[in-house]
Each structure stands twice: as structure tokens, then as C-alpha cells.
Amino acid sequence: MNFIDCIGIIGVGLILVAYFLNIFSLIKKDGVLFYLMNIIGASIACFTSYLINYFPFVILEGTWVIVSIIGLLKSIKKPQA
């Protein structure tokens, strides 16, 4: 395993940790932490996929980043009850 693989594992790990924390109701699915973990993790995974020239995952993770940013912005703009 090389350095790029290790960095990619960190990115994918962040996405998975966010997912598991959400599934076990430890963080909110529309909370800032959930979105930030997804944005950071997917950005890292997207970049490392680009470095290894694996463009299907560049598209997947890039889309994940965009969707997470949109979700974060909607969450921030949503009035708090």
C-alpha cells in the first residue's frame, strides 16, 4: 500500500464513519457534522482517485461532494424549530 492509498482510505473512512454514526443515531442526517464529514471525505477520495487516474470514482466522489454541499447549504438555511 502506498501513500495515495492511505490518504484515499482516510477519505472513504470519513464517509463510512459519517454513515455509521447516522445509522446509529449518533449524529443527525441533516446536521452540519454529517455533511462536513461527507464533504471532506469525498473530496479526499475524489482527489486520490484523480491521482491514480480512476475517473469513474472521480465522478462518483465529485458528485458526492456537490450533493453534500447542497445539503449543507439547505441545512444551514433551514429555520430551526
Side-chain angles (χ1 to χ4, degrees):
M1 190 177 337
N2 61 34
F3 181 72
I4 293 173
D5 291 334
C6 293
I7 298 302
I9 288 170
I10 291 169
V12 173
L14 270 172
I15 296 169
L16 291 173
V17 168
Y19 178 74
F20 285 116
L21 290 173
N22 172 260
I23 291 298
F24 293 109
S25 300
L26 298 172
I27 60 175
K28 295 179 182 179
K29 69 178 179 181
D30 59 350
V32 172
L33 180 59
F34 179 72
Y35 288 120
L36 286 177
M37 290 177 75
N38 276 288
I39 291 167
I40 294 167
S43 296
I44 293 168
C46 182
F47 180 67
T48 56
S49 296
Y50 172 78
L51 291 177
I52 64 170
N53 295 315
Y54 195 67
F55 292 102
F57 273 94
V58 172
I59 294 167
L60 174 69
E61 298 300 343
T63 302
W64 196 280
V65 171
I66 292 166
V67 169
S68 295
I69 289 171
I70 292 168
L72 176 63
L73 293 175
K74 287 176 78 173
S75 174
I76 290 171
K77 290 181 181 180
K78 184 173 67 174
Q80 300 296 321

